[in-house]
Amino acid sequence: MQTIQSNTASSEANSHNALYSPICRFPTEILCQIFLYCMPEEDEWTLAPDPSLAPMLLTTICRQWRDVAVDMPSLWRKLRMEVEGDWQKKVVCYESYLKRSRGRQSLSLEIHDEDWTVPRSLLQPYLNQISNLAIELFPGADFCPVMAADFGGLQELSIYNCGAAGAVTHSVAQLPPNTHSLTLTNVWLTKPELSGFKPLAWASLTSLELMVGELNLIPCLLRLCPNLSSLMMMGTFTGEIETSERLEHTKLQSLCIHAASHFNTSESPRRFFELFDAVTLPDLREVEVCNIGRWPHEEFKELLGRSKCPLERLYFDGFVIRKKEELAEYVTLFPSLQIAMYGRY
């Protein structure tokens, strides 16, 4: 009996001490700041929710911490969902994130198959609050079951495709009106596919990164994205530009072209002459090229003269053949021009 009373007294003393420990007396505002520092680093957000890490861990310490953590939407605004097999056990965890975010949500979807029934029903009430969506299609996913147009509040969309070659086209055929950034990795769109999009399907985009197989795709992209300010293209850039009309794009400021390392350099000047001759870019400020072979200096200089653009930066990387005299001409045209060279040529 004495032992039981002693243990009870000890427990009460510990509870009393815990109640008056310094951290329990912190104002809620201080706890909120501490909780923010407990969150995983940016590169650790690739992990699915983990009970041993914040923010879930913070809800298990004590009632006060749980109440504060649950009432902090900023702790719950990044979620990675793994959509594969029997994932019903994870639904409760995922739904708690979506509910607690109470507003903008950054969501990563890892899709291994096309069974979208449960994820669709789970996400349906929150579609308009998801502002940043990243989708990874893994082998076994013959098509992407997610339609970008369903996410009314979407601002940024990125898709990494390891599934079937044409798995993504239908998903991005129409973007929500506020989507300003689109990144497509290992997604090779064709001109017939883009030509089938509605004229305003990508009109809201200001930033676009994608793979380009055909050089002829670029004018089509610029027409589809009249408000684009940044365009980054990676690919092979084969074929010719099949248009006699020069396209003026008044918003493009940054143009980045990364050709595959195995690019056929003997044909590259002709190809990029066609690109530079097909467009006028009056607001062009930054150009970056990589692995394009011989740099089409005269054609680029004609583009600059025709566009009367305020060029500020010019970057060369990888295999790009250029001459010092050519670079000096650019500096003469733009005295404050910054030129960076990272390749050997």
Side-chain angles (χ1 to χ4, degrees):
M1 183 69 176
Q2 185 176 1
T3 302
I4 295 176
Q5 290 177 341
S6 176
N7 290 340
T8 302
S10 176
S11 176
E12 291 177 352
N14 289 336
S15 299
H16 183 271
N17 291 335
L19 181 63
Y20 289 97
S21 65
I23 197 166
C24 287
R25 297 197 299 271
F26 281 175
T28 298
E29 294 78 7
I30 301 298
L31 275 181
C32 289
Q33 292 299 315
I34 294 174
F35 287 179
L36 290 175
Y37 280 104
C38 293
M39 297 299 288
E41 297 292 334
E42 192 68 28
D43 57 356
E44 294 177 346
W45 279 110
T46 56
L47 301 174
D50 187 340
S52 66
L53 297 175
M56 294 182 65
L57 177 63
L58 299 174
T59 66
T60 65
I61 306 302
C62 65
R63 178 173 296 179
Q64 181 196 13
W65 282 34
R66 175 181 174 80
D67 291 343
V68 172
V70 168
D71 199 41
M72 286 183 64
S74 57
L75 300 184
W76 308 94
R77 286 182 177 168
K78 288 188 178 181
L79 170 63
R80 182 179 184 85
M81 291 173 55
E82 298 173 348
V83 184
E84 63 174 331
D86 182 14
W87 65 299
Q88 297 279 358
K89 297 178 182 178
K90 304 176 183 178
V91 169
V92 175
C93 173
Y94 292 155
E95 190 167 19
S96 67
Y97 265 75
L98 293 167
K99 285 181 178 179
R100 293 167 183 173
S101 67
R102 297 203 304 271
R104 292 180 59 186
Q105 175 77 39
S106 179
L107 176 65
S108 294
L109 295 175
E110 184 178 298
I111 300 175
H112 293 259
D113 55 47
E114 298 90 18
D115 186 3
W116 191 239
T117 306
V118 177
R120 180 181 287 110
S121 61
L122 172 63
L123 291 175
Q124 189 65 42
Y126 310 99
L127 291 180
N128 289 331
Q129 74 182 45
I130 295 174
S131 60
N132 190 318
L133 179 62
I135 301 172
E136 293 182 62
L137 287 182
F138 281 73
D142 293 330
F143 72 96
C144 179
V146 183
M147 301 297 291
D150 292 339
F151 295 80
L154 192 63
Q155 297 180 18
E156 299 181 16
L157 172 63
S158 61
I159 300 179
Y160 182 86
N161 180 35
C162 285
V168 173
T169 305
H170 68 285
S171 295
V172 296
Q174 180 67 57
L175 298 178
N178 293 320
T179 304
H180 61 78
S181 177
L182 175 62
T183 300
L184 301 175
T185 304
N186 203 28
V187 177
W188 297 82
L189 298 176
T190 65
K191 185 178 179 182
E193 289 173 336
L194 286 183
S195 300
F197 289 3
K198 295 180 180 179
L200 299 179
W202 287 8
S204 61
L205 288 181
T206 59
S207 176
L208 176 61
E209 296 183 23
L210 80 170
M211 317 291 286
V212 173
E214 310 168 46
L215 197 63
N216 199 31
L217 195 70
I218 301 174
C220 187
L221 284 171
L222 294 176
R223 291 189 185 93
L224 194 62
C225 308
N227 294 301
L228 201 64
S229 62
S230 176
L231 174 60
M232 179 175 182
M233 302 176 291
M234 296 160 283
T236 53
F237 306 98
T238 60
E240 301 177 356
I241 294 181
E242 302 168 359
T243 179
S244 58
E245 297 181 3
R246 183 169 288 148
L247 172 66
E248 181 176 24
H249 195 290
T250 61
K251 299 293 183 65
L252 193 67
Q253 297 183 5
S254 176
L255 176 63
C256 182
I257 302 171
H258 281 218
S261 57
H262 59 276
F263 194 73
N264 185 347
T265 58
S266 64
E267 298 183 16
S268 60
R270 175 180 61 82
R271 290 172 178 157
F272 286 101
F273 157 74
E274 293 176 355
L275 169 60
F276 293 149
D277 189 51
V279 296
T280 299
L281 306 172
D283 203 24
L284 187 64
R285 300 167 187 265
E286 178 177 301
V287 175
E288 178 179 336
V289 292
C290 179
N291 292 328
I292 69 166
R294 181 169 295 281
W295 172 245
H297 166 66
E298 292 298 332
E299 294 78 14
F300 182 66
K301 196 168 65 168
E302 289 179 11
L303 168 65
L304 297 178
R306 180 173 66 250
S307 300
K308 296 182 173 57
C309 58
L311 191 66
E312 299 172 354
R313 291 175 290 275
L314 185 57
Y315 299 116
F316 297 98
D317 197 1
F319 181 69
V320 182
I321 303 174
R322 70 272 170 178
K323 299 178 181 179
K324 292 182 179 179
E325 296 81 4
E326 296 172 348
L327 303 183
E329 289 188 50
Y330 300 139
V331 175
T332 301
L333 293 172
F334 305 95
S336 60
L337 180 67
Q338 299 177 19
I339 299 179
M341 296 173 288
Y342 302 104
R344 297 176 297 163
Y345 299 90

